[in-house]
Amino acid sequence: MKGFAMLKIGETGWIEKDRPKCGPRDAIVRPTCLAPCTSDVHTVWEGAIGDRHNMILGHEAVGIVDEVGTEVKDFKPGDRVIVPAITPDWDSEAVQRGFPSQTGGACGGWKYSNFKDGVFGEFFHVNLADNNLAHLPEGMSQEAAVMITDMMSTGFMGAENAGIELGSTVAVLGIGAVGLCGIAGAKLRGAGRIFAVGTRPVSVEVAKKYGATDIISYRDGDTAEQILDATDGEGVDAVIISGGGPDILIDACKMAKAGSKISNNNYFGKGEGEKDTLPLCRVGWGFGMADKDIITGLCPGGRVRMERLADLITYGRMDPELLVTHKFKGFDKIEEALLLMKEKPRDLIKPVVLLE
Amino acid sequence: MKGFAMLKIGETGWIEKDRPKCGPRDAIVRPTCLAPCTSDVHTVWEGAIGDRHNMILGHEAVGIVDEVGTEVKDFKPGDRVIVPAITPDWDSEAVQRGFPSQTGGACGGWKYSNFKDGVFGEFFHVNLADNNLAHLPEGMSQEAAVMITDMMSTGFMGAENAGIELGSTVAVLGIGAVGLCGIAGAKLRGAGRIFAVGTRPVSVEVAKKYGATDIISYRDGDTAEQILDATDGEGVDAVIISGGGPDILIDACKMAKAGSKISNNNYFGKGEGEKDTLPLCRVGWGFGMADKDIITGLCPGGRVRMERLADLITYGRMDPELLVTHKFKGFDKIEEALLLMKEKPRDLIKPVVLLE
Amino acid sequence: MKGFAMLKIGETGWIEKDRPKCGPRDAIVRPTCLAPCTSDVHTVWEGAIGDRHNMILGHEAVGIVDEVGTEVKDFKPGDRVIVPAITPDWDSEAVQRGFPSQTGGACGGWKYSNFKDGVFGEFFHVNLADNNLAHLPEGMSQEAAVMITDMMSTGFMGAENAGIELGSTVAVLGIGAVGLCGIAGAKLRGAGRIFAVGTRPVSVEVAKKYGATDIISYRDGDTAEQILDATDGEGVDAVIISGGGPDILIDACKMAKAGSKISNNNYFGKGEGEKDTLPLCRVGWGFGMADKDIITGLCPGGRVRMERLADLITYGRMDPELLVTHKFKGFDKIEEALLLMKEKPRDLIKPVVLLE
Amino acid sequence: MKGFAMLKIGETGWIEKDRPKCGPRDAIVRPTCLAPCTSDVHTVWEGAIGDRHNMILGHEAVGIVDEVGTEVKDFKPGDRVIVPAITPDWDSEAVQRGFPSQTGGACGGWKYSNFKDGVFGEFFHVNLADNNLAHLPEGMSQEAAVMITDMMSTGFMGAENAGIELGSTVAVLGIGAVGLCGIAGAKLRGAGRIFAVGTRPVSVEVAKKYGATDIISYRDGDTAEQILDATDGEGVDAVIISGGGPDILIDACKMAKAGSKISNNNYFGKGEGEKDTLPLCRVGWGFGMADKDIITGLCPGGRVRMERLADLITYGRMDPELLVTHKFKGFDKIEEALLLMKEKPRDLIKPVVLLE
């Protein structure tokens, strides 16, 4: 079968691979809608997770079940399914400790386009199908559903980890697709005022629709200072970091109240200096004593997560189609869509590729 | 009255000041037992919180109530009291948000030897006496009680913020008095295996009595590697940072499991570089996605905290007198005790000064 | 001054009282908008909290500051203010334990029309004005603001205590004003499907606007069974109890999943039998082992709560005016408004009385 | 093979059954140490979970692996293992919701002597061996290890769910083996004062060793009143219910502070009246508004739980052998041991049966 792959750091291309094998609890899925992700860009062109050779890319997919293992109960060939970007080994140790995204080691729940071939192939493999697939609800568009798999799950996690209370003031740093879902998630958790930090007009428009009340641009000066000014020097109850380089943590420390949460869902592809570090602001962080907790996580995966986020769409709590600015048709358009994510033209939020 | 003060950065000395005034809800206390703190050392000789002039030092005291304001109900002159290092304005905004140590701004509950004269005077002032004083229980030694005010409250907070579950594996970095209380606190929260990282024999001995099961010394190599080796590469469920310079955060990131808490109760007196930053390890921190949360806080203060920690002593859960390696007698010995904290001879954990 | 009072159990009337005295940290407020509450009905006609004599009723008010004590900093005569139903003694012990609504004993933060004269007087007293008053934001209607004081704060607490995760399925039992705010609160915390249990058409309409996706009526059969049927026997992740007699707990136990929260914000005015008890369903509650936690609380009060809920209105997250079905003009209409609450005609959700 | 079984409600006896079959991820274990449980008594003689026919009893065991399925990685025949009473289906929906003990329905993680044959057979079946077995640490006695499987895990859960903070005051109702572990657990979570409510001298002695500071007997009057008296009317921060009939909930409500947790790990085998209910005290529960949350749960199972509790023994945090008052030798003594649990002579805490 064909797949679009990372050949090595900095290089991509189409390759031929064997169709994946289906274990007794697994499924093989044929994708019907795919989306490339900024983390594919980090992986290929920044070498953020180290080298990979001839690994099929992609981890955002909906599709049709093509084959299931003998022990799979709830899915059968022909079923339309949502496939989470993160597919934990639910029967492993980290689950019992409460960290399903970290099964088998750090970020180990992230298998596609990390430890195994991703979803940009004619077929792809799903471990623990009963636990990691969700049925595509009737009437839900594929474009909406594919946004659940990573963008919504990751962006919402940013809001969930931010300890938002009803009426909290929140800042979201970065308004790419994940940041926009952070804004929507902050609203869904009950935030009052929401600062969105970013500049692209196409994203600003969606940010407002998703609940942002104030738009902050770095072009108007230091963003932390702008937010401090706007809040009479108080700062915010929660910062959600959904973009930026290492220095973004310094900004976050400065704009967070003493007594707040800094929630990171950014994938730091690069660090600073020889030691490859990420800097906190000593004074802004209150010398380590100002109750400014820094919470991290990897996109939650698994079936229940997908079903719950699908419910949010079904019941009208969130419209993820606003994220989809570019639609491609045909499997061979994956390359074009990924390069678009790399180039980030100003009218882009998120492209999808429809395969049927 | 006389007091032992910070004259300016790098300089201390005895000064004369007016006896503090007692507002309607306040108390004036005459100390009977005092202890100097490493943070006094940071404040004077590192200038960690900026300059201060002729500010009486000290924030660890038990004493006798000398005067109370007209609205004080539960205390009267002659009462023996425990005075928390942190005396929040309980009727302020940050309390309603759930962060009493941060009243009036970052670390604002820390008033003594920070925003107002400390306890190293013949008398000192207590705001909101009914809410910030606790009665010294009958039969409790002054040496034990003075350890509650900061060492136990700060060290225990390190354990409380570490998300310890019954049987968790914990590493405590630093075995000064706060680190030792972190160990005792980790045991009190139900940790199983406890790594204590430090070298001073006097502290090592107490670390074991407080519950440490493994002693790790930097002299035997990289401490994170030693702990990873000892845990078959798994690392620990929680790291409590109770000492060290900026790089200690890098060590903590490395030894923490994917899915863990890094709890800081270190006062970072110095940062790195021009931007005055504290570095996280990008890879060790899982690129920001490995569920290694960094939790901070300032020593909890107030009456209920003091009463609860006193109960732990009363009911035999903790013996803080093991921390007290040096006892001085007489008010004029405060200087000597503080200089001892600065010099840190190898047989020192914590000195106290008895005034009666 | 005049006030509308509970004369004794079962009897109300207008009485004359002295204008309340203003302590140094207090304020005296002249109401401009008032609302009666079902709990006034429980108090007077069920004697739910025991007997009271000549106690002015009411605890939902916005008004104008008429006088402030010498130590009050943030408010001055003429300021328009929102007054929380619950006005904790912020400088008391229960606050330090984390339970501000329980200061001074069970439900002790509830002072108005419980331990002291309520707000249905020409003037009323506010303890700790800086901590318990909030400025009425410019442009906010009085009808909206008065809904914050109890209905929104109590109803939202029901949702906050329900442990709602993004996409959780929730049932709200009772669709009076508090239940409707429970629905709005459930949506604000990110619930997916929301069952509203109730029958009054006027409430059903608002329930849908606030986010209810399914309306369940007891007229169509056992409500727990209906909800179990609608969820394929699974039940709900959270039940919010906002109405009903003692047996409502049995229903809640039955419809809650194994692994769920039952969040009560109902004021149980009557119990069962000689022992005055409230029954749980032994089997439905999983013999005490099915992880169906029962969470309770009293309406959160204080300034920060009021400010945060006001922000939710300011930023368009919630429109409480939908609750106000009846508006009266003039102080003397309080009696009529209260009797309306007692009678509960079918077109009533909540009446308000405007005084200017 | 032989097994000791519940023949029907009220009747037990030895039966012959086929050796259980081993699925690919399962194990078959031969017990080497067994303990009967009070819940076996509830099941057989109260019919608490309904009727069962010829079901082998027992759920507390350590043993030797006799056979493993083809996919089992971490265990092999001959391994000595600890077998949790609760063996969740880790790859099921309730795990993803955070409730592993409730997989497959209410209390569904409790399989042995509930939904399938228990451990009182020559061999027994273990589902998901890699996830549900733990290696018996070298040097740990079988008597100690068998106490982990249910008594420690259940009793400790009572303490974990009680929201204990360092220095909290706790009451434990019932001092059977589970209640005693609740006391030990409360101490392990950092409780200060611990009231133990019970009368048997043998248990009282262990209660003190495990950390109880005050012993309360119903023979000296109403237990709630005694505890209120001893705490100057304040009550306790947490109540752990580990015994008693339905009325125990009334006692718990009365002695719990406004702002507290009532943590239940009692298995309510019987209710009250026709409706089979469990009564809360309306007034003592603060009319549903006094922040007295009632938290429940089923014994946590699985491998990580067993390993963590084993660590607590290994590192000297807890000595469960104090619970073992009676030791039997030989498989055929199971009947005698179970009848002892039923009769509860005054010198009994917990019997074990050693099989080798």
Side-chain angles (χ1 to χ4, degrees):
Chain A
M1 66 169 210
K2 259 176 73 175
F4 187 72
M6 172 174 179
L7 305 180
K8 62 180 186 184
I9 288 180
E11 207 171 307
T12 57
W14 290 95
I15 61 173
E16 272 295 323
K17 282 214 167 175
D18 289 341
R19 188 183 191 277
K21 300 251 181 299
C22 187
R25 293 182 281 154
D26 305 338
I28 305 300
V29 169
R30 178 165 58 81
T32 55
C33 182
L34 295 166
C37 177
T38 307
S39 53
D40 291 312
V41 176
H42 288 305
T43 300
V44 176
W45 287 282
E46 292 185 357
I49 54 171
D51 212 349
R52 297 290 189 277
H53 293 275
N54 300 325
M55 178 185 70
I56 294 177
L57 289 164
H59 48 257
E60 303 183 21
V62 297
I64 293 175
V65 174
D66 196 70
E67 182 185 352
V68 295
T70 51
E71 293 185 38
V72 173
K73 292 175 201 156
D74 297 348
F75 297 89
K76 60 181 190 309
D79 284 357
R80 291 187 170 270
V81 288
I82 304 171
V83 187
I86 305 302
T87 51
D89 295 312
W90 288 98
D91 53 357
S92 84
E93 179 265 356
V95 168
Q96 297 194 25
R97 288 194 294 114
F99 298 98
S101 290
Q102 314 292 341
T103 50
C107 304
W110 173 25
K111 297 177 191 302
Y112 293 127
S113 66
N114 183 5
F115 300 128
K116 77 175 185 186
D117 281 324
V119 299
F120 292 172
E122 287 176 80
F123 298 96
F124 61 86
H125 173 265
V126 181
N127 60 308
L128 296 179
D130 278 335
N131 311 117
N132 281 323
L133 290 177
H135 289 286
L136 181 71
E138 274 203 41
M140 185 177 292
S141 80
Q142 305 218 34
E143 296 93 315
V146 81
M147 290 299 106
I148 297 174
T149 63
D150 185 354
M151 297 302 96
M152 279 174 64
S153 190
T154 299
F156 285 5
M157 178 197 73
E160 290 165 303
N161 284 349
I164 294 169
E165 299 183 27
L166 291 180
S168 286
T169 297
V170 178
V172 180
L173 311 187
I175 54 174
V178 167
L180 289 169
C181 289
I183 292 166
K187 183 183 167 191
L188 279 172
R189 294 303 287 164
R193 192 175 189 181
I194 301 176
F195 292 93
V197 179
T199 55
R200 296 161 157 253
V202 63
S203 283
V204 164
E205 196 183 340
V206 176
K208 287 177 183 168
K209 285 180 182 159
Y210 278 177
T213 58
D214 299 73
I215 307 297
I216 301 290
S217 164
Y218 66 89
R219 293 189 188 129
D220 300 330
D222 182 275
T223 57
E225 275 172 33
Q226 287 182 66
I227 288 173
L228 287 166
D229 281 355
T231 55
D232 299 322
E234 284 192 9
V236 296
D237 296 300
V239 183
I240 301 171
I241 300 179
S242 299
D247 273 6
I248 197 76
L249 285 162
I250 295 179
D251 291 344
C253 289
K254 285 181 181 167
M255 71 180 69
K257 279 184 194 175
S260 62
K261 297 267 184 295
I262 297 168
S263 168
N264 183 67
N265 55 13
N266 198 21
Y267 169 11
F268 284 101
K270 280 186 189 163
E272 280 188 350
E274 268 180 41
K275 289 195 285 183
D276 194 12
T277 58
L278 304 170
L280 302 177
C281 173
R282 186 182 71 91
V283 175
W285 200 41
F287 324 105
M289 303 187 299
D291 274 308
K292 301 185 182 187
D293 301 341
I294 305 174
I295 315 297
T296 77
L298 174 66
C299 173
R303 178 177 180 169
V304 168
R305 177 71 167 181
M306 295 300 104
E307 290 173 345
R308 286 185 170 174
L309 299 197
D311 270 5
L312 291 176
I313 298 173
T314 299
Y315 295 110
R317 312 302 189 200
M318 160 80 180
D319 177 6
E321 294 201 39
L322 299 179
L323 299 169
V324 182
T325 52
H326 294 65
K327 295 189 195 182
F328 295 88
K329 297 230 169 181
F331 187 50
D332 56 335
K333 293 296 173 58
I334 290 169
E335 181 164 12
E336 195 175 335
L338 179 63
L339 292 174
L340 200 72
M341 279 309 286
K342 189 189 170 202
E343 287 152 21
K344 287 207 180 166
R346 283 190 70 74
D347 63 343
L348 175 78
I349 300 176
K350 189 84 184 179
V352 301
V353 183
L354 291 157
L355 279 70
E356 57 180 8
Chain B
M1 65 169 210
K2 258 177 74 174
F4 187 71
M6 171 175 182
L7 305 180
K8 61 180 185 185
I9 289 180
E11 206 171 308
T12 57
W14 291 96
I15 61 173
E16 272 294 324
K17 282 215 166 173
D18 289 341
R19 186 184 192 279
K21 300 253 178 300
C22 188
R25 292 182 282 155
D26 304 339
I28 305 299
V29 169
R30 178 165 56 82
T32 57
C33 182
L34 293 166
C37 178
T38 307
S39 53
D40 290 313
V41 176
H42 287 304
T43 300
V44 175
W45 286 284
E46 291 185 357
I49 54 171
D51 213 349
R52 299 289 190 275
H53 293 273
N54 300 323
M55 177 185 70
I56 294 176
L57 287 163
H59 49 257
E60 301 183 22
V62 298
I64 294 174
V65 174
D66 196 71
E67 181 183 353
V68 295
T70 49
E71 294 185 37
V72 173
K73 292 174 198 157
D74 297 347
F75 298 89
K76 60 183 189 308
D79 285 355
R80 289 185 174 272
V81 288
I82 304 171
V83 187
I86 305 302
T87 51
D89 297 311
W90 289 98
D91 53 358
S92 84
E93 179 264 358
V95 169
Q96 297 195 24
R97 286 194 295 116
F99 298 98
S101 290
Q102 312 293 342
T103 52
C107 304
W110 174 22
K111 298 176 190 301
Y112 293 127
S113 66
N114 184 4
F115 299 127
K116 77 175 187 187
D117 281 324
V119 300
F120 291 173
E122 288 177 81
F123 298 95
F124 61 85
H125 173 265
V126 181
N127 59 308
L128 295 179
D130 278 335
N131 310 115
N132 282 324
L133 291 177
H135 290 285
L136 182 71
E138 276 205 40
M140 184 176 294
S141 81
Q142 304 219 33
E143 297 93 316
V146 81
M147 290 299 105
I148 298 173
T149 62
D150 185 354
M151 297 301 96
M152 279 173 65
S153 190
T154 298
F156 285 5
M157 178 197 72
E160 291 165 302
N161 284 350
I164 295 168
E165 298 183 29
L166 291 179
S168 286
T169 297
V170 178
V172 181
L173 311 188
I175 54 173
V178 167
L180 290 168
C181 288
I183 293 166
K187 184 183 166 192
L188 280 171
R189 293 303 287 165
R193 191 174 190 182
I194 301 176
F195 293 92
V197 179
T199 56
R200 296 162 159 254
V202 64
S203 283
V204 164
E205 195 183 341
V206 178
K208 288 176 182 167
K209 286 181 182 159
Y210 279 175
T213 58
D214 300 72
I215 307 295
I216 301 290
S217 164
Y218 66 89
R219 292 187 189 132
D220 300 329
D222 182 275
T223 57
E225 275 171 33
Q226 288 181 67
I227 288 173
L228 286 166
D229 280 354
T231 55
D232 298 322
E234 283 194 9
V236 296
D237 296 302
V239 183
I240 302 172
I241 301 177
S242 299
D247 272 4
I248 197 76
L249 285 163
I250 294 177
D251 291 344
C253 290
K254 285 180 182 168
M255 70 181 68
K257 276 184 196 175
S260 62
K261 297 266 185 294
I262 297 168
S263 168
N264 182 69
N265 56 13
N266 198 21
Y267 168 11
F268 285 101
K270 278 185 190 164
E272 281 188 349
E274 265 182 41
K275 288 195 285 182
D276 194 14
T277 58
L278 304 170
L280 303 176
C281 173
R282 187 182 71 92
V283 174
W285 199 43
F287 324 104
M289 303 187 298
D291 275 310
K292 301 187 181 188
D293 300 342
I294 305 173
I295 315 296
T296 77
L298 174 67
C299 172
R303 177 176 182 171
V304 168
R305 178 72 170 180
M306 296 298 106
E307 290 174 345
R308 285 185 169 175
L309 299 196
D311 269 5
L312 291 176
I313 299 173
T314 298
Y315 294 109
R317 312 298 188 203
M318 160 81 182
D319 176 7
E321 293 201 41
L322 299 178
L323 300 169
V324 181
T325 53
H326 293 67
K327 296 190 194 182
F328 296 87
K329 296 230 169 181
F331 187 51
D332 56 337
K333 293 296 173 59
I334 290 169
E335 182 165 14
E336 195 174 337
L338 179 62
L339 291 174
L340 201 70
M341 280 309 285
K342 189 188 169 202
E343 288 151 22
K344 289 207 177 167
R346 282 190 71 74
D347 64 342
L348 175 78
I349 299 177
K350 189 84 184 182
V352 303
V353 183
L354 290 156
L355 279 69
E356 57 180 8
Chain C
M1 63 170 211
K2 259 177 72 174
F4 186 73
M6 172 175 180
L7 305 180
K8 62 180 186 184
I9 289 179
E11 203 170 313
T12 57
W14 291 94
I15 60 173
E16 271 295 322
K17 280 216 168 174
D18 289 340
R19 187 183 190 279
K21 299 254 180 297
C22 188
R25 293 183 280 154
D26 304 340
I28 304 301
V29 169
R30 177 165 58 81
T32 57
C33 182
L34 294 167
C37 179
T38 307
S39 54
D40 291 311
V41 175
H42 287 306
T43 301
V44 175
W45 287 283
E46 291 185 359
I49 54 172
D51 213 349
R52 299 289 190 276
H53 292 274
N54 300 324
M55 178 184 69
I56 294 177
L57 287 164
H59 48 258
E60 301 183 23
V62 296
I64 294 174
V65 175
D66 197 70
E67 182 183 353
V68 294
T70 51
E71 293 184 36
V72 174
K73 291 173 199 157
D74 296 349
F75 296 88
K76 58 180 192 310
D79 285 356
R80 288 186 174 271
V81 289
I82 304 171
V83 187
I86 305 302
T87 52
D89 296 312
W90 289 97
D91 53 358
S92 84
E93 179 265 356
V95 169
Q96 298 195 25
R97 288 195 293 114
F99 298 98
S101 291
Q102 312 293 341
T103 52
C107 305
W110 173 23
K111 298 178 189 302
Y112 294 127
S113 65
N114 183 4
F115 299 127
K116 76 176 186 186
D117 281 324
V119 300
F120 292 172
E122 288 177 82
F123 299 95
F124 61 86
H125 173 264
V126 181
N127 60 309
L128 295 179
D130 279 336
N131 310 116
N132 281 325
L133 290 177
H135 290 286
L136 181 73
E138 275 205 39
M140 184 177 291
S141 80
Q142 304 218 33
E143 295 92 317
V146 81
M147 291 299 105
I148 297 174
T149 63
D150 185 354
M151 297 300 98
M152 279 174 65
S153 189
T154 298
F156 285 6
M157 178 197 73
E160 291 166 302
N161 284 351
I164 294 169
E165 298 185 28
L166 291 180
S168 286
T169 297
V170 178
V172 180
L173 312 187
I175 54 174
V178 166
L180 289 169
C181 288
I183 292 167
K187 183 184 167 193
L188 280 171
R189 294 303 286 166
R193 192 175 190 181
I194 301 175
F195 293 92
V197 179
T199 55
R200 295 162 159 252
V202 63
S203 284
V204 164
E205 193 183 345
V206 176
K208 288 177 183 169
K209 286 182 181 158
Y210 279 175
T213 58
D214 299 74
I215 307 296
I216 301 291
S217 165
Y218 66 89
R219 292 187 191 133
D220 299 329
D222 182 275
T223 58
E225 276 171 33
Q226 288 183 65
I227 289 173
L228 287 166
D229 281 352
T231 56
D232 298 322
E234 286 193 6
V236 295
D237 296 300
V239 182
I240 302 171
I241 301 178
S242 300
D247 272 4
I248 197 77
L249 285 163
I250 294 178
D251 292 342
C253 291
K254 286 180 182 169
M255 70 179 71
K257 279 185 194 175
S260 62
K261 298 265 183 296
I262 297 168
S263 169
N264 182 66
N265 55 14
N266 198 21
Y267 168 11
F268 285 101
K270 278 187 190 165
E272 282 188 347
E274 265 183 44
K275 288 194 286 182
D276 194 13
T277 58
L278 303 171
L280 303 177
C281 173
R282 187 182 72 91
V283 174
W285 200 42
F287 322 106
M289 302 189 299
D291 274 309
K292 302 187 181 186
D293 301 341
I294 305 173
I295 315 296
T296 77
L298 174 66
C299 173
R303 178 176 180 171
V304 168
R305 177 71 169 180
M306 295 298 106
E307 290 173 345
R308 286 185 168 173
L309 299 196
D311 269 5
L312 291 176
I313 298 174
T314 298
Y315 294 110
R317 312 301 189 201
M318 161 80 180
D319 177 7
E321 294 200 41
L322 299 179
L323 300 169
V324 181
T325 51
H326 293 67
K327 296 190 194 182
F328 295 86
K329 297 229 170 183
F331 187 52
D332 56 335
K333 294 294 173 58
I334 290 170
E335 182 164 13
E336 194 174 337
L338 178 63
L339 292 174
L340 201 70
M341 280 309 286
K342 189 188 170 205
E343 287 150 25
K344 288 208 178 165
R346 280 188 73 75
D347 64 343
L348 175 79
I349 300 177
K350 189 84 181 180
V352 302
V353 182
L354 291 156
L355 280 71
E356 55 180 10
Chain D
M1 65 169 210
K2 260 178 71 173
F4 187 72
M6 170 172 181
L7 306 180
K8 61 180 186 183
I9 289 180
E11 204 171 311
T12 58
W14 291 94
I15 62 174
E16 273 294 324
K17 282 216 167 175
D18 289 340
R19 187 183 191 277
K21 299 251 179 302
C22 188
R25 294 182 278 155
D26 304 340
I28 304 300
V29 170
R30 178 166 57 81
T32 57
C33 182
L34 294 166
C37 179
T38 308
S39 52
D40 290 312
V41 176
H42 287 305
T43 300
V44 176
W45 286 283
E46 291 187 359
I49 54 170
D51 212 348
R52 298 287 189 277
H53 293 274
N54 300 323
M55 178 185 69
I56 295 177
L57 287 164
H59 49 257
E60 302 183 22
V62 297
I64 294 175
V65 174
D66 197 69
E67 180 185 354
V68 296
T70 51
E71 294 184 35
V72 173
K73 293 174 198 156
D74 297 348
F75 298 88
K76 58 180 191 311
D79 286 356
R80 289 187 173 270
V81 290
I82 305 171
V83 187
I86 305 302
T87 51
D89 296 311
W90 288 98
D91 53 356
S92 84
E93 179 264 355
V95 169
Q96 298 195 24
R97 287 195 294 116
F99 298 98
S101 291
Q102 312 294 338
T103 51
C107 303
W110 173 25
K111 297 177 190 304
Y112 293 127
S113 66
N114 183 5
F115 298 126
K116 74 176 186 186
D117 280 325
V119 299
F120 291 173
E122 287 177 82
F123 298 95
F124 61 86
H125 174 265
V126 181
N127 60 309
L128 294 179
D130 279 334
N131 310 117
N132 281 324
L133 290 177
H135 290 286
L136 182 71
E138 275 203 41
M140 184 176 293
S141 80
Q142 305 217 36
E143 297 92 316
V146 80
M147 291 298 107
I148 297 174
T149 62
D150 185 355
M151 296 301 98
M152 278 174 65
S153 191
T154 299
F156 285 6
M157 178 196 74
E160 292 166 299
N161 285 350
I164 294 169
E165 298 184 27
L166 291 180
S168 287
T169 297
V170 177
V172 181
L173 312 188
I175 55 173
V178 166
L180 290 169
C181 288
I183 293 167
K187 183 183 168 193
L188 279 172
R189 292 304 286 166
R193 191 174 191 181
I194 301 176
F195 293 92
V197 178
T199 54
R200 294 162 159 254
V202 63
S203 284
V204 163
E205 194 182 342
V206 177
K208 287 177 183 167
K209 286 180 181 160
Y210 278 175
T213 58
D214 299 74
I215 307 294
I216 301 291
S217 165
Y218 68 89
R219 292 188 190 132
D220 300 330
D222 181 275
T223 59
E225 274 172 33
Q226 288 182 67
I227 288 173
L228 287 166
D229 280 354
T231 55
D232 298 323
E234 284 194 8
V236 297
D237 295 302
V239 183
I240 302 172
I241 301 178
S242 300
D247 272 4
I248 198 76
L249 285 163
I250 294 177
D251 291 344
C253 290
K254 284 181 182 167
M255 69 178 71
K257 280 185 194 176
S260 62
K261 296 268 184 293
I262 297 167
S263 169
N264 183 67
N265 55 13
N266 198 21
Y267 168 11
F268 285 100
K270 278 187 192 165
E272 281 189 349
E274 267 181 43
K275 288 194 286 182
D276 194 13
T277 59
L278 304 169
L280 303 176
C281 173
R282 187 183 71 92
V283 174
W285 200 43
F287 322 106
M289 302 188 299
D291 275 309
K292 302 186 180 185
D293 299 341
I294 305 173
I295 315 295
T296 77
L298 173 68
C299 173
R303 178 176 182 171
V304 169
R305 178 70 169 182
M306 295 299 104
E307 290 174 345
R308 286 186 169 173
L309 299 196
D311 270 5
L312 291 175
I313 298 173
T314 299
Y315 295 110
R317 314 300 189 203
M318 161 81 182
D319 177 6
E321 293 200 40
L322 299 179
L323 299 169
V324 180
T325 52
H326 293 67
K327 295 190 197 183
F328 295 88
K329 297 227 172 186
F331 187 51
D332 56 335
K333 293 294 173 59
I334 288 169
E335 181 165 14
E336 195 174 335
L338 178 64
L339 291 174
L340 201 70
M341 280 310 286
K342 188 190 169 199
E343 287 151 24
K344 288 205 177 169
R346 280 190 72 75
D347 63 344
L348 175 78
I349 300 177
K350 189 86 184 179
V352 301
V353 183
L354 291 155
L355 279 69
E356 55 180 10

